[in-house]
Amino acid sequence: NDVVTLGDSIFDLNGVIQETLEARAGTQFRDYTSSGAELKGGAFAPSVYEQYAAANNTNGNINTILMDGGGNDILIPATLFDPYGCRTQWYRWNPSRSCVNLITEQYYDAVDLLNQIDADGVNDVVWLGYYELPRGNTNLTKAINIGDDYLGYACEVATSASCSFVDPRGTVPANQVESDNIHPTPAGSVNLANQIEPVLFPLL
């Protein structure tokens, strides 16, 4: 009960990251992840903020949190109409100012959440970042890089929480991403679990 997972469909859709880590650890974690979850707010699923509140209200004896978050806050609008200009184009080589402002908002939300987690007495957080998306989503690479840089800084520098950032950029090939150009295949999920394990397991 003292290990909790929070986050979006990178964890939740096929469940293989958690299944792999649980099998290797010989125990189970409390899973609050939800496909479609945004970091804060959103209409598609309970946000990561809401997931944490539910976990804490159910049993506040939480020592370690494994999580991700913030990707859908960028990806959902970019997939629909890209109103923030996060996709690069031939006429726009970098994400727009509106996109960078959106990512900055996620940074502040991440810091606030991590500070709350620390204030609640959680010992450690492991935050999984996002890998580059292939094929039809390669024009989100620069936005993902900015987001990962911000998330890594939020986790390891800007918060009072003991937080370790797992950065999977450059490690997940296109053949380990589903045909939706977003989610990991089972092999991709095992790859991510392999990267999480040496960071997470010493904390268990």
Side-chain angles (χ1 to χ4, degrees):
N1 281 331
D2 64 352
V3 181
V4 167
T5 53
L6 312 172
D8 55 35
S9 54
I10 299 299
F11 279 98
D12 188 64
L13 191 64
N14 65 24
V16 172
I17 294 176
Q18 180 142 343
E19 291 172 3
T20 301
L21 293 171
E22 287 178 338
R24 294 175 182 175
T27 189
Q28 291 184 316
F29 312 147
R30 282 199 281 153
D31 180 11
Y32 291 85
T33 62
S34 181
S35 294
E38 297 182 31
L39 184 57
K40 185 177 184 180
F44 296 98
S47 69
V48 178
Y49 265 71
E50 292 169 321
Q51 294 169 23
Y52 173 65
N56 203 35
N57 290 336
T58 299
N59 184 341
N61 182 30
I62 303 171
N63 288 328
T64 305
I65 292 176
L66 170 62
M67 65 181 293
D68 76 337
N72 280 329
D73 306 75
I74 299 168
L75 186 62
I76 290 174
T79 300
L80 298 176
F81 306 107
D82 196 25
Y84 297 98
C86 288
R87 293 184 183 274
T88 53
Q89 307 287 350
W90 65 267
Y91 55 84
R92 186 180 63 235
W93 291 7
N94 293 297
S96 72
R97 183 180 300 275
S98 293
C99 180
V100 175
N101 289 341
L102 176 66
I103 294 169
T104 305
E105 290 177 14
Q106 310 318 311
Y107 162 77
Y108 288 122
D109 287 341
V111 172
D112 288 345
L113 177 59
L114 287 166
N115 285 341
Q116 182 61 55
I117 287 170
D118 179 62
D120 290 338
V122 176
N123 291 334
D124 296 288
V125 178
V126 176
W127 193 308
L128 175 65
Y130 293 92
Y131 48 84
E132 301 92 338
L133 301 179
R135 298 176 290 264
N137 280 330
T138 54
N139 59 359
L140 284 169
T141 297
K142 288 188 176 181
I144 290 170
N145 282 335
I146 296 169
D148 271 331
D149 289 344
Y150 270 89
L151 287 177
Y153 190 86
C155 172
E156 297 190 329
V157 179
T159 178
S160 56
S162 174
C163 182
S164 300
F165 187 68
V166 178
D167 189 345
R169 285 177 288 181
T171 69
V172 180
N175 64 5
Q176 291 186 357
V177 180
E178 297 284 4
S179 59
D180 63 6
N181 302 325
I182 298 171
H183 298 102
T185 64
S189 293
V190 172
N191 178 354
L192 293 169
N194 289 341
Q195 297 181 57
I196 293 167
E197 181 177 340
V199 181
L200 175 66
F201 278 26
L203 307 176
L204 301 182

